[in-house]
Amino acid sequence: MKQYLDFNATTPVNEETAKLMHNYLVNDFANAGSRSHESGALAKKTVLNARKQIAKICSIDTSEIIFTSGATESNNIALFGLLEHAKKIGKNHIISTSIEHKAILDPLKEIENRGFEVTLIDPDSSGHVDVQEIIKSITSNTFLISCMHANNETGSINNISLIGRLAKEIDSEIFIHSDCAQTFAKTDLDFNDPSIDMISFSGHKFFGPKGVGGLVMRKRDGMSLPLKPIMYGGGQERGLRPGTQPVHLIAGVGLAAELAYSERQNWTEKCLKIKDKALKTFNSKGTIIYGGVGSETLPNTLFISFGTHAESVIICLKNIAEIATGSACTSESYTPSHVLTAMGVDEDQAKKVVRLSWGPDTDPNVFQEIKEALEILR
Ligand code: PLP
């Protein structure tokens, strides 16, 4: 049976979450903003419950989370939302990395167009960002550092806690944001570290629904972060993300996060076993692994070259496994991955790299089938 090996692009919704969401679509469907009836009160309570489920993972208060349409929107609110504050305090410099998802890189381009200065730190050849490189780039003008937790292509995990702590030793006012789309709830890392001010997450990466995610905004000295909205409307989500709250999606993301977090150890162990099998199966001369394989890399990801053009690999495997070249959002155009380019991989090599990403229940025998099919292709 063909296996889906594109879990970093998106994951299936687990049955329990889907069932819960169905109820909020069909039965308890009221608007959480309706104050005049019990159904509205129930919807409001449901949203609060989901906020509690997320708050627990980050050891924060429910007032420190807003629900959004996903990590893209959360990133935009985190980045654009601070610009007015930066102007007020007379700072204009942001530090980020060249391996970020387009949902950070594109907003940063626009922010640069608006007159701000952006420094993008390149990764090392294993796809990791050197913490010291970030710290060295801090100037008296820096107001924000945004560094992704795990890269969606290579799976490389950055030490965002260390970045947060060291940056704040230099300037306690600097804001730290992290796009945690690939790690949130599934891993045990850093989400409750107080030095990280803002965390973006996305439901469909941890067996929850698409179209919902959130932004964690840790208070400072009891005060909300000075974020300004990027849209205006009915004032929902503390005015930062106005619009009728999609109660079914919010209930779904809350439950999916709770379930994923309680399963995180299991997810890691099972995915690591599958990775071991993949590494053993593909351990031959012609293969190159990008992004490293140790504990500083996601247990469910392999960014790998089989020495053959990625498009040929994808076509060859089409009845065996569904895989990706780089991130799904850019896979329509065959330009090499910006992450590989930043790692110093030349264009010819980069075109041969594919991404395999799996879930805890993936059958690892698929790797042997892949190996045999690619031997025939070669
Ligand atoms: N950031 C990262 C690291 C991602 O992997 C993704 C999804 O591919 C996103 C952001 C975008 O998330 P969403 O689909 O929730 O907007």
Side-chain angles (χ1 to χ4, degrees):
M1 202 181 72
K2 187 161 69 176
Q3 294 243 2
Y4 175 81
L5 291 183
D6 202 9
F7 276 70
N8 286 12
T10 198
T11 60
V13 176
N14 64 60
E15 290 292 339
E16 205 177 322
T17 299
K19 219 163 142 188
L20 180 82
M21 285 168 56
H22 182 264
N23 177 56
Y24 289 111
L25 280 165
V26 176
N27 302 316
D28 299 326
F29 55 82
N31 190 324
S34 295
R35 290 158 183 254
S36 52
H37 45 71
E38 264 181 39
S39 298
L42 173 67
K44 192 176 171 192
K45 205 169 142 197
T46 303
V47 170
L48 178 62
N49 185 52
R51 238 186 274 285
K52 283 182 185 161
Q53 287 166 313
I54 303 290
K56 211 167 169 193
I57 294 173
C58 302
S59 311
I60 51 172
D61 185 69
T62 51
S63 61
E64 294 169 291
I65 301 149
I66 54 163
F67 290 113
T68 65
S69 64
T72 301
E73 189 178 19
S74 303
N75 289 344
N76 274 269
I77 295 171
L79 299 175
F80 286 104
L82 275 182
L83 299 184
E84 209 168 300
H85 172 75
K87 279 185 194 157
K88 235 184 243 166
I89 59 171
K91 296 192 176 189
N92 76 340
H93 181 225
I94 299 174
I95 301 170
S96 188
T97 82
S98 53
I99 61 168
E100 299 294 313
H101 191 274
K102 295 286 179 193
I104 289 284
L105 291 177
D106 278 11
L108 285 179
K109 254 186 233 157
E110 174 57 23
I111 286 170
E112 239 178 346
N113 289 340
R114 295 185 191 182
F116 288 83
E117 193 193 331
V118 176
T119 301
L120 294 181
I121 305 296
D122 283 330
D124 60 21
S125 60
S126 77
H128 292 87
V129 178
D130 182 348
V131 173
Q132 288 306 330
E133 287 293 315
I134 290 195
I135 300 304
K136 275 195 302 200
S137 304
I138 296 173
T139 72
S140 55
N141 263 330
T142 309
F143 65 93
L144 171 65
I145 297 174
S146 180
C147 179
M148 77 192 317
H149 199 189
N151 183 268
N152 44 300
E153 298 187 24
T154 60
S156 60
I157 299 172
N158 293 308
N159 194 339
I160 52 171
S161 279
L162 189 61
I163 293 169
R165 270 179 269 136
L166 294 179
K168 284 182 180 178
E169 275 173 22
I170 294 173
D171 179 353
S172 61
E173 298 293 306
I174 286 182
F175 294 98
I176 310 291
H177 167 255
S178 185
D179 178 348
C180 295
Q182 292 293 341
T183 52
F184 192 79
K186 289 188 298 195
T187 67
D188 215 358
L189 303 160
D190 305 335
F191 306 120
N192 46 25
D193 188 311
S195 68
I196 300 162
D197 300 291
M198 292 182 283
I199 291 173
S200 299
F201 64 90
S202 174
H204 70 103
K205 307 291 186 183
F206 49 79
F207 308 95
K210 295 172 186 56
V212 67
L215 180 67
V216 166
M217 314 159 305
R218 243 184 212 99
K219 286 181 179 170
R220 284 187 172 181
D221 304 323
M223 301 278 286
S224 297
L225 298 188
L227 287 166
K228 286 275 179 216
I230 58 174
M231 337 191 268
Y232 294 84
Q236 293 92 341
E237 299 300 311
R238 313 185 75 75
L240 282 168
R241 208 285 177 162
T244 301
Q245 289 148 316
V247 177
H248 63 296
L249 292 175
I250 292 174
V253 79
L255 178 61
E258 184 177 270
L259 292 174
Y261 199 61
S262 68
E263 278 293 306
R264 64 193 185 283
Q265 208 84 38
N266 210 11
W267 181 83
T268 303
E269 280 165 18
K270 281 181 154 182
C271 287
L272 261 183
K273 263 194 195 150
I274 297 168
K275 190 167 193 166
D276 275 354
K277 184 84 184 241
L279 290 171
K280 277 190 192 123
T281 310
F282 299 137
N283 179 21
S284 69
K285 238 183 173 179
T287 60
I288 307 171
I289 290 161
Y290 296 92
V293 292
S295 62
E296 289 176 348
T297 311
L298 287 176
N300 77 325
T301 307
L302 205 55
F303 209 33
I304 186 167
S305 162
F306 294 107
T308 312
H309 197 290
E311 291 308 315
S312 312
V313 173
I314 286 172
I315 293 166
C316 169
L317 298 181
K318 78 176 194 312
N319 295 322
I320 298 172
E322 292 174 322
I323 63 170
T325 58
S327 76
C329 307
T330 50
S331 64
E332 273 168 30
S333 59
Y334 298 135
T335 47
S337 140
H338 70 279
V339 177
L340 287 169
T341 307
M343 286 160 67
V345 178
D346 73 43
E347 194 171 326
D348 246 29
Q349 280 300 323
K351 282 183 179 164
K352 295 176 182 164
V353 183
V354 293
R355 180 183 69 187
L356 315 182
S357 54
W358 51 87
D361 299 324
T362 297
D363 178 359
N365 290 321
V366 69
F367 301 127
Q368 186 58 34
E369 283 184 63
I370 291 176
K371 186 181 172 180
E372 285 165 17
L374 292 179
E375 271 161 14
I376 295 168
L377 173 70
R378 247 179 248 122

